[in-house]
Amino acid sequence: MKRKLYSLAAIILVSTFAKAQTTFTEATSILENTTLSGGVAMAVVDMNNDRLDDIIRLDNGINLQIEYQQPDGSYDRLQVGNVGSPWGISIADVDENGFNDIIVGGSYDGLRLLTANEDGTDFSLTTLGGPNIFVQNTNFADINNDGAIDYFACHDDGISSPYENDGNGSFTYNLDMINAVSAGESDNSGNYGSIWTDYDNDGDIDLFISKCRLQAQGDPTDPRRLNVLYQNDGSNNFTEVAEDAGLRPMTQTWATNFEDIDNDGDFDAVMVNHFVRSQIFENNGDGTFTDITLDSGVTANLDALGLGIQVMMEDYDNDTFIDIILTTRDGTHQLLLNDGDQTFTAVTNPFPNSNDQIQSAAVGDLNNDGFIDLIAGYANGFNNPSGISDQVFMNNGNDNNWIKIALEGVESNSNGIGARVEIQGPWGSQVREVRAGESYGTQNSLITHFGLGAADEIETITVTWPSGIVDTAENVDGNLTVIIREGEGLLGLNDITTSSEISGVFPNPATTQINITTTPNVQANTIYVYDLLGRQVIVQNIQTAGTQAINISSLTSGVYFVSIGDSVQKFIKK
């Protein structure tokens, strides 16, 4: 029964927490360790496949810990241990055992792989082979599109390092996958923010690296500060085209992110620069970009950013348009809300009671209410812990609706990293990519999030997997987390058949109790209640045939299954 229910698990119901405007509240007290000072490297990722985003940080920049979100909104902590002094972190299920793994790296202290055990409760540590590098940003991506998730690490002092996964979680350094040399004769150094994205909408992933070698500050033509864009021809051949694409501003760029800010189906770019204003670029749809910064309405805010570090792009107010959070070393962190017409409005004091200017951040849904939250860090210099405690900022939400989409790859990697997810509805079209590592030094949630505005239903969800398989789902309710499995589409309840052993489940939805009616000839003598992952959450013996009352007050809000023998029915706990 457990296996059967796991395959049918599809929908997690969460009520929307509504407020009047886009504001955040400091909520660090939900964590077990409220005084941790991390540094730059941090992540928000579902580590244990329960569809709840968890928090991954480094105590004093050294000791890795995972804070697991619980269904009741609390967090349980696992202290993994000393992993060196990482500057970059990436997370994916490298061995396809159902639990996510971690690679960290820093200043010439090795690339360290932390592999989750068979039940995800602990990790084993190994060090990757290949050259010893000064790690900046890192990513997981299926570079050669063979279904196994590969690894890419930016090198501050030389050429960046690609690693090929053999499909079982073992990595081999392999420059034949991509040789990301600088745009001109140089030592190939200055590789900072990296991102794998299909910027030209041709169905394969490309690579953009922001170049920011400080020693090259005086010469705008120094290759160590010239951004590179490697265009994939679909056969894993990469050609450098940043200048032709219009994404080489001849300055020092620390990080760049790509999202669709105007909902026209292609990925626009936001570039965090040093010593000059940061920039917003529109994707022209033909492989080139146009700088629209001066018309964006937020040039003063981009100037105030100073030495920007990171850029996180999500729909923070769930109005169907992508917004921007920018972090900084010595300026002012920014939240820029998308007005829907390629202009933005800056939020005044978006993170009240922050301990300092936010330098590092990772985002995801940290209380499972459908609005994107933030874990913030305050580094010393560019990457080192400062002694200032990290903070959690919870999005207070509003009346807008949302949907979250979790992917289960089969032919593609298990998280669907590299997949394109598109939804259609009254707003038109929205598109996202699943990415493991973007911006600089951090990783955001692998669960795709969309704001729906006033709409409460999605007309069509389309997932284009790295394998080329396309799955669609129609007429999907909003304010849910749904699961789409490669080749099967939306996992749901259509395949559940009921027998006369259960004649009903009522009330449904329910708050504290459900009642089920069994027939006199029922053969099973035990009632089971399962959650969406097929875990038994209630077991109750049947005393006599007839109506059975089951106390569900201990369950969190969501969708559950009640079963007797081979009969299964769904109910909703409000």
Side-chain angles (χ1 to χ4, degrees):
M1 179 62 66
K2 179 175 180 180
R3 184 178 182 88
K4 177 180 178 182
L5 288 175
Y6 179 81
S7 69
L8 295 172
I11 302 171
I12 301 172
L13 178 67
V14 184
S15 62
T16 302
F17 180 60
K19 291 289 183 182
Q21 57 186 343
T22 304
T23 59
F24 289 78
T25 297
E26 197 273 331
T28 314
S29 60
I30 65 171
L31 303 178
E32 183 177 336
N33 187 348
T34 60
T35 60
L36 183 152
S37 173
V40 162
M42 58 176 57
V44 171
V45 176
D46 172 16
M47 292 297 297
N48 55 357
N49 203 26
D50 64 356
R51 312 306 175 189
L52 299 174
D53 281 328
D54 308 310
I55 299 172
I56 302 90
R57 297 186 293 162
L58 294 151
D59 192 0
N60 198 33
I62 295 173
N63 294 301
L64 190 140
Q65 69 172 40
I66 302 170
E67 290 149 303
Y68 292 96
Q69 184 180 167
Q70 304 301 304
D72 64 0
S74 65
Y75 280 79
D76 287 345
R77 181 172 55 152
L78 172 66
Q79 300 187 61
V80 178
N82 189 320
V83 293
S85 299
W87 288 29
I89 185 169
S90 290
I91 297 172
D93 183 5
V94 303
D95 56 2
E96 303 281 339
N97 74 340
F99 297 97
N100 279 321
D101 312 296
I102 306 169
I103 295 182
V104 296
S107 178
Y108 296 107
D109 61 357
L111 291 167
R112 306 182 185 204
L113 169 62
L114 296 146
T115 306
N117 63 9
E118 61 183 8
D119 60 4
T121 58
D122 203 357
F123 294 81
S124 58
L125 176 64
T126 57
T127 300
L128 302 188
N132 192 19
I133 67 173
F134 190 161
V135 174
Q136 296 288 343
N137 196 53
T138 64
N139 320 91
F140 279 114
D142 187 357
I143 299 172
N144 57 4
N145 201 27
D146 65 353
I149 199 70
D150 307 306
Y151 177 71
F152 184 85
C154 284
H155 184 16
D156 193 2
D157 293 336
I159 195 164
S160 297
S161 292
Y163 283 82
E164 183 176 8
N165 187 343
D166 69 354
N168 297 309
S170 294
F171 289 89
T172 302
Y173 175 75
N174 184 3
L175 276 179
D176 289 338
M177 287 201 301
I178 184 168
N179 190 1
V181 297
S182 299
E185 294 296 326
S186 77
D187 61 4
N188 295 305
S189 65
N191 304 291
Y192 279 67
S194 55
I195 183 169
W196 291 85
T197 178
D198 184 8
Y199 82 96
D200 53 2
N201 268 0
D202 65 352
D204 50 51
I205 56 170
D206 313 293
L207 170 65
F208 187 87
I209 301 178
S210 300
K211 303 278 278 190
C212 195
R213 189 68 166 171
L214 290 175
Q215 290 82 347
Q217 180 179 343
D219 181 4
T221 66
D222 191 313
R224 297 175 295 176
R225 63 186 290 170
L226 299 180
N227 298 337
V228 290
L229 172 59
Y230 280 92
Q231 184 182 45
N232 191 338
D233 70 354
S235 299
N236 301 320
N237 300 308
F238 293 89
T239 302
E240 203 289 303
V241 296
E243 185 171 0
D244 292 340
L247 293 177
R248 183 173 290 161
M250 309 294 282
T251 187
Q252 292 177 243
T253 302
W254 198 269
T256 306
N257 209 339
F258 291 75
E259 293 289 353
D260 186 3
I261 65 172
D262 48 11
N263 287 349
D264 66 350
D266 51 33
F267 295 112
D268 311 295
V270 175
M271 189 175 291
V272 176
N273 299 321
H274 284 188
F275 309 111
V276 300
R277 176 184 293 154
S278 295
Q279 295 164 283
I280 303 172
F281 293 87
E282 179 188 4
N283 190 325
N284 298 321
D286 59 1
T288 67
F289 292 78
T290 297
D291 187 346
I292 60 171
T293 308
L294 292 179
D295 296 323
S296 68
V298 287
T299 53
N301 300 90
L302 296 174
D303 288 336
L305 185 65
L307 297 181
I309 299 295
Q310 295 167 350
V311 48
M312 278 74 61
M313 300 171 71
E314 290 278 355
D315 185 356
Y316 297 104
D317 55 4
N318 284 356
D319 68 348
T320 77
F321 288 100
I322 286 283
D323 310 304
I324 304 168
I325 287 177
L326 300 163
T327 72
T328 179
R329 175 185 171 181
D330 65 352
T332 306
H333 57 246
Q334 302 288 333
L335 170 57
L336 309 178
L337 296 181
N338 193 330
D339 300 325
D341 58 359
Q342 298 184 337
T343 68
F344 295 82
T345 298
V347 176
T348 302
N349 191 24
F351 305 107
N353 301 313
S354 61
N355 288 334
D356 204 339
Q357 294 305 321
I358 297 172
Q359 180 160 330
S360 185
V363 299
D365 191 352
L366 298 179
N367 58 357
N368 203 27
D369 68 348
F371 287 82
I372 297 297
D373 312 299
L374 177 140
I375 176 80
Y378 308 92
N380 181 33
F382 288 107
N383 299 78
N384 300 312
S386 63
I388 299 174
S389 299
D390 299 346
Q391 291 178 288
V392 172
F393 290 95
M394 291 295 188
N395 190 328
N396 293 324
N398 53 42
D399 291 330
N400 289 333
N401 298 311
W402 51 271
I403 189 168
K404 294 191 294 182
I405 301 170
L407 301 186
E408 289 187 3
V410 178
E411 292 190 24
S412 304
N413 65 88
S414 61
N415 287 298
I417 295 165
R420 174 186 172 98
V421 184
E422 188 169 1
I423 66 170
Q424 289 80 36
W427 58 84
S429 178
Q430 298 183 61
V431 63
R432 305 282 191 271
E433 276 182 330
V434 182
R435 301 183 186 134
E438 54 193 323
S439 190
Y440 173 76
T442 63
Q443 180 166 329
N444 301 321
S445 178
L446 292 168
I447 300 173
T448 305
H449 166 268
F450 294 88
L452 306 181
D456 59 5
E457 184 179 88
I458 299 89
E459 294 173 3
T460 307
I461 301 173
T462 303
V463 178
T464 304
W465 299 83
S467 66
I469 292 173
V470 178
D471 287 309
T472 61
E474 295 181 349
N475 302 320
V476 180
D477 290 337
N479 300 328
L480 301 171
T481 299
V482 299
I483 302 170
I484 294 180
R485 179 175 293 155
E486 186 174 13
E488 298 181 32
L490 181 68
L491 301 184
L493 308 171
N494 295 332
D495 296 330
I496 290 182
T497 57
T498 60
S499 72
S500 59
E501 291 178 354
I502 302 179
S503 61
V505 178
F506 57 94
N508 191 5
T511 54
T512 60
Q513 178 177 301
I514 61 170
N515 304 304
I516 67 171
T517 300
T518 61
T519 60
N521 63 345
V522 63
Q523 298 299 308
N525 60 5
T526 305
I527 299 171
Y528 298 94
V529 177
Y530 294 89
D531 66 11
L532 283 171
L533 296 182
R535 299 175 296 199
Q536 293 177 4
V537 292
I538 295 176
V539 179
Q540 180 171 312
N541 291 330
I542 297 176
Q543 303 300 322
T544 60
T547 300
Q548 311 290 324
I550 303 174
N551 186 337
I552 61 169
S553 58
S554 63
L555 302 181
T556 59
S557 298
V559 175
Y560 294 87
F561 304 90
V562 59
S563 72
I564 302 175
D566 291 330
S567 183
V568 181
Q569 289 199 15
K570 176 196 77 171
F571 70 89
I572 298 172
K573 166 69 187 299
K574 295 181 64 177

